[in-house]
Amino acid sequence: MSKESKGIGPAARLAALVLLGCALFAGLVPPDARAEYGDVVINNYSDKSGMRPVVFPHWFHRIRYRCKVCHADLGFKFQAGGNDINMVKVIDGQFCGACHNGEVAWGIENCNMCHSGKNGTPTQVHESTTNSLVGGGTRPAPAAAGGTK
Ligand code: HEC
Ligand code: HEC
Ligand code: HEC
């Protein structure tokens, strides 16, 4: 078994753009939605429970699934940190657990695959890669933090 694809080719980019276009057209995306493919850091509970924050690689998922799969069928709201996810729900097959169940994708025993952020990183959309995020030196602007409650 080898690595199946290396990086994101122009075709995949185009496909993603087309999908995005469709979603915009269908009115699925709020007008202020970002067209960027930033990672989403989710940290409503992780730090408080002694886990590293979750880094959700949006681009990686967007090139594999239509927006609708997650944002309509699975009910993910278009807001970083806006879904009140916890491990009971994930194990129960909701949110990430709809796919990360050892069948569609690797299962929840791989804690560090999801809990890969740097401790103390607030919930936000991060415009760059997981690497630079984990590498530190990130100082998010307050406006980038994922909403207030
Ligand atoms: C497929 C992704 C994924 C995997 C794998 C995963 N988690 Fe999580 N986990 C999440 C998400 C998303 C949240 C919500 C993050 C937040 O808001 O802080 C979360 C939250 C948590 C929380 C805080 C909320 C709660 O339920 O208490 C703990 C503790 C936790 N995870 C532990 C674990 C442990 C231990 C493992 C491995 C056995 C694990 N997680 C594997 C996605 C994952
Ligand atoms: C595999 C699931 C999945 C797919 C496919 C997906 N998203 Fe998301 N999206 C998420 C998750 C998870 C979040 C973060 C939610 C949270 O933090 O609770 C999110 C957050 C967002 C946000 C708010 C954060 C930001 O970046 O501004 C927007 C907008 C968004 N998605 C748009 C899209 C669009 C447009 C598509 C299709 C091109 C898409 N998503 C495809 C799972 C997905
Ligand atoms: C619609 C299905 C689906 C949902 C929902 C989903 N994932 Fe995934 N995810 C996948 C698939 C498929 C892969 C690729 C698995 C593989 O390579 O074996 C993946 C891979 C990943 C990876 C590894 C990326 C890489 O660079 O290899 C991470 C991290 C991840 N998911 C986190 C999450 C988190 C966190 C959530 C919930 C917020 C989530 N996923 C929700 C289907 C999904």
Side-chain angles (χ1 to χ4, degrees), residues 65-77 83 93-100:
Y65 296 96
R66 287 166 187 267
C67 318
K68 172 181 181 293
V69 171
C70 294
H71 289 294
D73 300 350
L74 297 179
F76 278 104
K77 291 183 192 145
N83 288 282
Q94 298 176 55
F95 299 113
C96 321
C99 299
H100 289 279

Side-chain angles (χ1 to χ4, degrees), residues 1-2 11 36-37 46 50 53 56 90-91 100 108 123 133-134 145 149:
M1 298 239 265
S2 61
E36 294 290 337
Y37 301 104
S46 298
F56 174 71
V90 173
I91 292 164
H100 289 279
I108 50 112
T123 297
L133 186 72
V134 172
K149 283 233 183 108

Side-chain angles (χ1 to χ4, degrees), residues 42-47 49 51 53-54 85-88 90 96-97 100 106-115 123:
I42 309 176
N43 191 5
N44 290 324
Y45 303 110
S46 298
D47 258 337
S49 350
M51 294 294 292
V54 170
I85 306 170
N86 63 42
M87 284 317 289
V88 172
V90 173
C96 321
H100 289 279
W106 41 261
I108 50 112
E109 66 279 8
N110 303 289
C111 315
N112 294 339
M113 289 289 288
C114 293
H115 292 275
T123 297

